[in-house]
Amino acid sequence: MKKFYTLLFACLLVLLGACSNDDEDEQETSQNDTEQDEALEENNDKEDLDPATGLFMEFIKENKDSDRVAFLATWNNEPIAEINTDLALPLASIVKIIIAIEFASQAEEGNIDPSEMIAMEEVDKYYFPNTDGGAHDAWKSTLEDEEGDVSLEQIAQGMMDFSSNANTDYLIERLGLEEVNNRIEELDLNHHEPIYPLTASIAIPKKVMEDNNIEENELEDALRDLDDDAYRQIAVDLFEEWQEEPWTDEEKEEASALLDMSIQKVWSDRLTHATAEDYHQIMAMLNNKEHYSEAFYEELDAIFSLDLEDESIVRTAQKGGSTAFVLNQAVYAEDADGNRFEMILFTNDLNLSELEVAAMQVQALTDKLVNEEDFREEVKETLAE
């Protein structure tokens, strides 16, 4: 993080005297020496940081008393980090974990068949080009036929592995929005806001502007004036309309064109919120294979797990989530010795440089916490200071 210094020099006029040029030269030299010393000290501090994780750890430490970060990590149920664990923050794609759980539960109960084939156009009706960082196209590129039929399980894998928002909303359609939100209650997540469709939320600005007959420069205030229930309901109404009459490509382009950074900030701020405590509870449950049957976990692992070459890790899964202002990570892992690790890291209101640091270092932070006992102790001590 940058440090900002303010140097104030004042010349006091005494009687008829004034500060001489010699005094000014001396003060300027002193100021330059001070600034050079401070810059050298800051550079030395940076050199001492772990190049893989240090800048991000510095951000977490410096913001642990703010509402910009929540961090909860445990090793065999013992805390490594506990920062703002009850602070509700925007989840971004972390919310897809709930939908994956609902998918596996309905598969176990026989309400859906993961092998059922679905026409790609049914999924694509929810796709807004250039709004998901290429996630949907990246998923489709892995399929034998990008425009052919796909199974429900493949759609769910695209939601979790590639974070396709279009896949997410199609699954909400199939599983039922009410059932998805009932899962939050069933899991006893005390601070979790209701889930609502993701791609439909992209269209809220267009809908609000048209319905209220306002200009684009009035849009941000109009969106912020909506309470949470009204905002979510607009997304739900659009989502239900699209099931009968999807928007055209032109309408989608018009909606996307309204998403400047100020509108994206409103969108990011209004995403479903929950706490690190909520998601740590979920990840610990999944890591221990509790609460649900073996059949449930067999299906969940098919859509939400990582295959690693590292034989020391026997089972692991992770889900990230990001916007232009948020970078989140939820992880669980079990090693060959039966040790279990869970980590929830939520951030918010990041500037561009902070977002870049988080994106570059969050995976290294995760990997080192899983694999290095000394690093776990270092993190625990650093964040306790």
Side-chain angles (χ1 to χ4, degrees), residues 246-262:
W247 268 10
T248 64
D249 290 344
E250 182 179 357
E251 288 173 310
K252 291 178 180 179
E253 288 176 9
E254 290 172 355
S256 299
L258 295 173
L259 303 178
D260 63 21
M261 291 306 288
S262 65

Side-chain angles (χ1 to χ4, degrees), residues 5-7 9 28-43:
Y5 301 95
T6 301
L7 299 176
F9 295 95
E28 183 176 351
T29 300
S30 176
Q31 177 180 349
N32 290 338
D33 289 345
T34 301
E35 290 176 344
Q36 289 174 3
D37 289 343
E38 290 169 342
L40 183 60
E41 181 180 351
E42 184 173 356
N43 287 335

Side-chain angles (χ1 to χ4, degrees), residues 183-194:
R183 187 63 54 183
I184 296 171
E185 184 176 350
E186 189 262 341
L187 290 169
D188 196 26
L189 305 176
N190 296 322
H191 308 287
H192 204 301
E193 293 180 347

Side-chain angles (χ1 to χ4, degrees), residues 353-371:
S353 62
E354 291 167 342
L355 190 66
E356 289 174 347
V357 166
M360 288 188 298
Q361 299 198 345
V362 66
Q363 192 58 53
L365 175 64
T366 302
D367 294 344
K368 286 168 74 71
L369 285 170
V370 171
N371 294 302

Side-chain angles (χ1 to χ4, degrees), residues 221-232:
D221 288 341
L223 291 170
R224 292 198 181 279
D225 285 343
L226 291 168
D227 65 35
D228 289 340
D229 289 339
Y231 185 91
R232 287 191 286 260

